[in-house]
Amino acid sequence: MSSNSFYPSDFDLHLFHEGNLFKAYNLFGAHVRNEKTFFTLWAPNAKNVRVIGDFNDWMGRGTEMKRVTSEGIWFLEIPKNLEGSLYKYEILSESGRVIHKTDPFAFMTELRPRTAGVVYTLDGYKWRDEKWHSDRHPSQIYEEPMSIYELHLGTWKKKGEGENDLYTYRELSKMVIPHIKEQGFTHIEVMPLTEHPFDRSWGYQSTGYFAATRRYGLPEDFMYFVDECHRQGIGVIMDWVPGHFCKDAHGLHHFDGGFSYEYENSWDRENYVWGTANFDLSKTEVHSFLISNALFWMDYYHIDGFRVDAVSNIFYWPNRDGLEANPHGVSFLKKLNKAVFAFKPEALMIAEDSSDWPQVTAPVHQGGIGFNYKWNMGWMNDVLDYMETHWNERSGKHHQMTFSLMYAYSENYILPFSHDEVVHGKKSLLDKMPGDYWQKFAQLRLLLMFMIAHPGKKLLFMGTELAPFSEWKDLEEVDWHLMDYDMHRCFNDYFKQLMHVYKNVRPLYELDHNPDGFQWIDVHNHDQSIFSFSRKDKKGNTVVIVCNFGDYGYGNYKVGVPETGIYEELLNSDDAAYGGSNRVNKTKIVTVEKEFHGQPAYVDINVPPFGAVYLRHVDDKGRN
């Protein structure tokens, strides 16, 4: 396109229809240049289109769009600077029905419940996160700690009880960033921020894929939030939903009276579980739309990557008998990942995938789907089922805590305890634990130590650091008042120390994706429900982990260790400072040089009830 016009070039049109216009946001939507405003739209089933807005009393007089291709590209140039104006598209369908739609490429929309697009330019923000980006390298993510704080901005903290009593992106940056730094997280994952009409969809049912929701402020306010995260060393991952969209009248559903964005066949189109419509991933124009959307958030908002929602709903046709692969969905995901990594090699592309589809995190050129991480849903389900089982019956489910190591290195995994596990009657993590008040806290401390020691990166939902008894209340803020209670305050002290240990002890993360970094010590102790294993780093430094999921503690418990010499206790979940019974190992521990558990030596240690112990090898002579 020329410097004075946004009129679509033949080449841009070819790329769009081919499915390869990966920066379609530079052409489609509303753009202001040289005191003129340009509108470009894809509406293949429209008979006529007019731009209506507050600049023409919503009447569309003299603002009829010109159809520039037979495939349904429409264009209009208005010789005015309409920056800040409200607008919609008035579409006359082939059946004669008049439809008013929000621009799919609108960079900003009105605050719900209003739905018009806003002519808005995103080029004015002055970024200050150059160091963050210059320090990123594609390979370093695999060998570095990654602890992700899943965040819903609307309920992290609220000003009041009303639906609009929300803190802004800028206000939240002053509170959220110091908090997650203090807690020890490396990244935040923000639940979907694309514009959405219904608060309690949490952003998963979107209408405005290119518009950051107005609930928390203007686009540049969210840019400021991301910028400040980066300046404080925090990565920002965005929850993203390329599989389906909501059916609200102003959105993508039946956009031009036909099925432009969704499948024409109702059996493939309808997502009966979520009451949404599935994107038609056989359409190359939809590829251009969605892949452009991913690049847009990285380009304009400096997002570091995406947690891609409901990937199994893309792998498989949702309404067909059995698991029938959707070749269009598979092809789209490969194309998406190739485009994202070509644009940003250090990006995080995380599949929220509950299926057993192979090679999800293998590169496309090696026959994989091309993500670089995948949520380990199997681990999460097995572990939570085990933890919710009374300890007297856990011996019968011993295998659920070990099975994940059979496939732990088949993909690059993230271990998730997300919002999905603490809402809709599923109970909080703390309340899932059986037993009395003390036993619940002890088992939650144990669970998190087991999680941190298990191979894979980590994700926890906001509030976990407080050990709430209540599940997520998606209309209220996190239970910050819990910090007034001793047990919760002690738990938070423990949580911060656990995350500090995780980030500073290389054996706990450096070989997360290499089987050389893990070894079972005792995997068969069903009767006592005790597991012991070791983690090591590239240099061979070792941490021994002992986890007791039973209610009985042990003194002088023998554990085989891979090195002789001196060990010291790195962390004990039963420390009195954290609310435990203080069955700790205060002094340095000297190995007995006798084979045990298949190891060359063993140690005698205190193993607390419902407790976990991390032991670090010092050296053969006890020097640090």
Side-chain angles (χ1 to χ4, degrees):
M1 68 186 69
S2 74
S3 60
N4 295 317
S5 175
F6 272 79
Y7 193 86
S9 70
D10 291 341
F11 184 60
D12 284 338
L13 295 176
H14 171 75
L15 289 177
F16 178 74
H17 291 302
E18 189 180 56
N20 292 318
L21 187 62
F22 295 156
K23 290 192 177 182
Y25 50 89
N26 287 333
L27 172 62
F28 288 86
H31 298 271
V32 175
R33 180 174 291 172
N34 296 327
E35 300 305 309
K36 297 177 182 179
T37 306
F38 305 90
F39 298 86
T40 306
L41 175 71
W42 177 58
N45 300 296
K47 189 174 181 180
N48 191 22
V49 183
R50 301 194 299 180
V51 179
I52 59 174
D54 57 4
F55 52 88
N56 63 6
D57 296 324
W58 301 95
M59 297 300 293
R61 289 187 297 268
T63 55
E64 292 82 8
M65 301 188 78
K66 176 184 177 182
R67 186 168 189 147
V68 298
T69 71
S70 59
E71 294 91 351
I73 304 296
W74 300 79
F75 178 79
L76 174 66
E77 175 185 322
I78 297 179
K80 294 180 182 178
N81 183 336
L82 297 178
E83 183 78 16
S85 297
L86 303 178
Y87 74 104
K88 281 190 175 184
Y89 293 115
E90 183 178 81
I91 299 172
L92 179 65
S93 72
E94 291 178 344
S95 68
R97 187 162 64 98
V98 176
I99 309 165
H100 291 169
K101 290 287 187 176
T102 306
D103 186 353
F105 282 88
F107 291 162
M108 189 168 79
T109 64
E110 294 181 283
L111 177 64
R112 51 112 176 86
R114 303 181 69 86
T115 58
V118 181
V119 178
Y120 205 81
T121 301
L122 297 178
D123 296 327
Y125 185 80
K126 303 298 183 186
W127 289 90
R128 301 167 296 161
D129 61 351
E130 297 84 0
K131 186 177 188 304
W132 169 263
H133 293 290
S134 66
D135 288 346
R136 301 303 101 196
H137 302 287
S139 61
Q140 72 185 160
I141 60 172
Y142 303 108
E143 297 179 358
E144 289 190 345
M146 184 190 299
S147 50
I148 304 169
Y149 189 77
E150 188 187 25
L151 176 67
H152 181 256
L153 291 176
T155 56
W156 188 78
K157 193 168 284 189
K158 296 186 69 172
K159 289 182 178 178
E161 298 300 319
E163 67 172 4
N164 291 324
D165 291 333
L166 304 172
Y167 286 103
T168 67
Y169 295 115
R170 288 178 184 264
E171 290 171 332
L172 285 164
S173 71
K174 302 294 191 290
M175 298 181 286
V176 170
I177 298 170
H179 177 74
I180 62 175
K181 281 179 65 68
E182 180 188 14
Q183 301 304 309
F185 289 94
T186 64
H187 293 73
I188 60 170
E189 177 185 295
V190 189
M191 289 168 70
L193 287 175
T194 52
E195 193 57 85
H196 53 284
F198 182 47
D199 288 15
R200 299 192 76 180
S201 78
W202 314 326
Y204 288 99
Q205 297 191 12
S206 180
T207 51
Y209 274 75
F210 289 83
T213 179
R214 286 289 297 279
R215 287 167 174 80
Y216 316 114
L218 299 174
E220 54 266 33
D221 297 328
F222 182 54
M223 294 175 186
Y224 177 87
F225 180 91
V226 176
D227 203 10
E228 286 300 300
C229 284
H230 287 169
R231 284 162 51 81
Q232 295 296 321
I234 302 295
V236 182
I237 302 163
M238 182 171 149
D239 219 328
W240 188 58
V241 190
H244 62 107
F245 54 87
C246 70
K247 296 181 179 180
D248 289 60
H250 63 285
L252 299 177
H253 188 54
H254 285 184
F255 184 77
D256 51 12
F259 303 105
S260 297
Y261 288 90
E262 63 269 63
Y263 290 102
E264 186 168 350
N265 182 312
S266 63
W267 196 237
D268 297 327
R269 178 177 68 248
E270 296 300 319
N271 196 309
Y272 297 106
V273 174
W274 295 310
T276 54
N278 295 312
F279 276 107
D280 184 348
L281 297 176
S282 72
K283 288 183 180 172
T284 48
E285 292 87 354
V286 172
H287 289 196
S288 287
F289 175 79
L290 288 172
I291 295 173
S292 290
N293 187 242
L295 268 58
F296 167 81
W297 288 99
M298 293 187 292
D299 190 2
Y300 274 103
Y301 289 97
H302 291 202
I303 293 294
D304 296 295
F306 302 93
R307 178 265 198 186
V308 181
D309 182 62
V311 167
S312 60
N313 186 66
I314 298 174
F315 279 147
Y316 298 102
W317 294 104
N319 302 318
R320 304 191 185 185
D321 293 335
L323 292 176
E324 183 178 345
N326 178 351
H328 310 301
V330 174
S331 176
F332 163 73
L333 290 172
K334 292 180 178 181
K335 188 176 180 179
L336 165 70
N337 285 319
K338 286 177 67 176
V340 166
F341 289 119
F343 180 76
K344 190 182 183 78
E346 70 277 16
L348 289 166
M349 290 298 287
I350 303 166
E352 188 265 322
D353 174 30
S354 58
S355 78
D356 58 358
W357 193 281
Q359 292 189 284
V360 172
T361 58
V364 174
H365 67 268
Q366 294 180 6
I369 302 300
F371 290 95
N372 53 4
Y373 275 101
K374 171 179 172 170
W375 276 18
N376 195 335
M377 308 289 277
W379 175 88
M380 178 271 296
N381 285 317
D382 283 347
V383 168
L384 289 183
D385 181 66
Y386 180 89
M387 295 303 301
E388 290 182 86
T389 300
H390 192 276
W391 52 87
N392 289 337
E393 300 173 0
R394 284 175 177 166
S395 62
K397 294 187 175 184
H398 194 81
H399 65 284
Q400 290 186 197
M401 299 297 275
T402 63
F403 180 67
S404 58
L405 268 300
M406 299 292 290
Y407 61 85
Y409 303 103
S410 63
E411 304 279 5
N412 300 327
Y413 280 117
I414 291 174
L415 310 181
F417 288 143
S418 74
H419 69 277
D420 278 329
E421 311 318 314
V422 293
V423 74
H424 296 327
K426 294 182 181 179
K427 300 192 292 188
S428 70
L429 289 182
L430 179 67
D431 204 24
K432 290 178 192 289
M433 305 298 108
D436 61 25
Y437 183 83
W438 185 91
Q439 291 166 330
K440 284 179 179 291
F441 275 94
Q443 289 175 92
L444 182 56
R445 294 192 300 269
L446 164 64
L447 170 62
L448 293 181
M449 274 186 77
F450 177 76
M451 177 195 198
I452 292 298
H454 191 286
K457 308 308 181 185
K458 327 298 176 185
L459 178 140
L460 292 164
F461 185 53
M462 65 180 192
T464 302
E465 68 273 23
L466 307 179
F469 270 101
S470 299
E471 65 176 23
W472 178 35
K473 302 178 289 295
D474 63 354
L475 294 177
E476 301 175 28
E477 69 176 24
V478 167
D479 292 333
W480 299 110
H481 66 278
L482 293 177
M483 291 299 285
D484 295 334
Y485 297 88
D486 289 343
M487 201 63 163
H488 294 275
R489 191 165 54 249
C490 289
F491 179 88
N492 185 245
D493 290 340
Y494 158 79
F495 185 90
K496 288 184 288 189
Q497 183 61 23
L498 174 61
M499 299 302 280
H500 173 79
V501 168
Y502 169 62
K503 290 202 302 182
N504 289 279
V505 178
R506 287 185 174 275
L508 294 176
Y509 62 79
E510 193 170 57
L511 295 178
D512 265 334
H513 312 303
N514 186 329
D516 291 341
F518 179 92
Q519 182 185 25
W520 284 114
I521 294 174
D522 183 10
V523 70
H524 300 300
N525 192 346
H526 299 74
D527 293 338
Q528 294 173 302
S529 296
I530 296 178
F531 303 82
S532 54
F533 54 95
S534 64
R535 297 291 307 276
K536 68 178 181 180
D537 62 17
K538 286 181 174 181
K539 294 181 178 180
N541 299 309
T542 302
V543 172
V544 171
I545 298 97
V546 183
C547 296
N548 177 14
F549 292 90
D551 66 332
Y552 190 79
Y554 303 90
N556 299 317
Y557 185 87
K558 289 184 173 63
V559 181
V561 292
E563 297 175 272
T564 61
I566 307 295
Y567 282 78
E568 64 181 3
E569 188 170 80
L570 190 59
L571 188 64
N572 188 319
S573 67
D574 195 50
D575 194 307
Y578 308 138
S581 62
N582 217 36
R583 298 283 289 269
V584 297
N585 298 279
K586 294 181 179 179
T587 61
K588 294 188 184 299
I589 305 160
V590 181
T591 61
V592 177
E593 295 186 24
K594 182 178 180 180
E595 184 176 337
F596 194 75
H597 286 151
Q599 306 297 317
Y602 68 85
V603 292
D604 284 312
I605 61 170
N606 283 320
V607 175
F610 299 130
V613 177
Y614 291 174
L615 302 175
R616 175 169 55 188
H617 184 254
V618 182
D619 71 5
D620 291 340
K621 297 181 180 179
R623 294 190 299 264
N624 281 305

